[in-house]
Amino acid sequence: MNLLRFLARPMLAAPFIVDGASALFAPESHVARARVVTDSCQPVLDKLGIECTDEDLTLASRAMGATSLVAGLMLATGRAPRTSAAVLTALSVPVALINNPLWTARTASARTEMTSGLFRGLALTGGLAIAMTDREGSPSAAWRVRKWKAERALAAQQIRADHGLS
């Protein structure tokens, strides 16, 4: 692993480790933020027949927190970095929306703050998407297959030429 990856992966993973530990061990503030979103979306949830109790939100917060914590630690330590980055990418968008519900902002300053937080969350999502596709300099499986086919075709052509076949 090069120095950039050695430093960048833990920095990219740090917010997910901290937030995941917080959601796992002290989910109250996470439940409160999720409650704001569920309350504002109550008509839609009622139409779908979904009821969100505080117990449900606590369980969901803890589950997402545990997932975020484990995936963040894996990314930070370089264990299955592409898989852990993919998991964090999938978690980061809903978390960014729950933490920054723009549609609930009542003042311009609140809207500005939430917009900034939402774009910060989306920037983390972009960084994770890049980390998800980082092969650390190794060629992709598709490149390897193309190379193998080209080498096989070249070898077959050489064999035909050596044996006087066209």
Side-chain angles (χ1 to χ4, degrees), residues 86-157:
V87 169
L88 291 173
T89 300
L91 288 177
S92 66
V93 173
V95 167
L97 290 171
I98 288 171
N99 288 338
N100 303 287
L102 283 173
W103 60 94
T104 63
R106 301 287 180 239
T107 64
S109 63
R111 186 170 290 111
T112 301
E113 186 177 325
M114 286 186 191
T115 301
S116 177
L118 182 61
F119 282 116
R120 207 172 299 114
L122 294 177
L124 280 173
T125 303
L128 289 166
I130 291 170
M132 187 173 62
T133 60
D134 179 24
R135 289 188 289 274
E136 298 182 24
S138 298
S140 69
W143 181 87
R144 290 177 187 173
V145 168
R146 285 192 305 270
K147 182 177 183 269
W148 175 76
K149 285 181 178 179
E151 288 173 350
R152 192 177 74 174
L154 186 62
Q157 183 182 19

Side-chain angles (χ1 to χ4, degrees), residues 76-87:
T77 58
R79 307 224 186 240
R82 293 176 65 196
T83 303
S84 56
V87 169

Side-chain angles (χ1 to χ4, degrees), residues 29-68:
S29 65
H30 299 270
V31 170
R33 286 194 303 267
R35 177 57 64 199
V36 169
V37 173
T38 58
D39 287 349
S40 67
C41 298
Q42 197 59 49
V44 174
L45 294 174
D46 288 342
K47 278 186 177 182
L48 296 173
I50 298 173
E51 184 180 338
C52 290
T53 65
D54 281 346
E55 292 81 26
D56 295 336
L57 293 175
T58 299
L59 179 62
S61 292
R62 284 192 165 145
M64 285 184 72
T67 304
S68 179

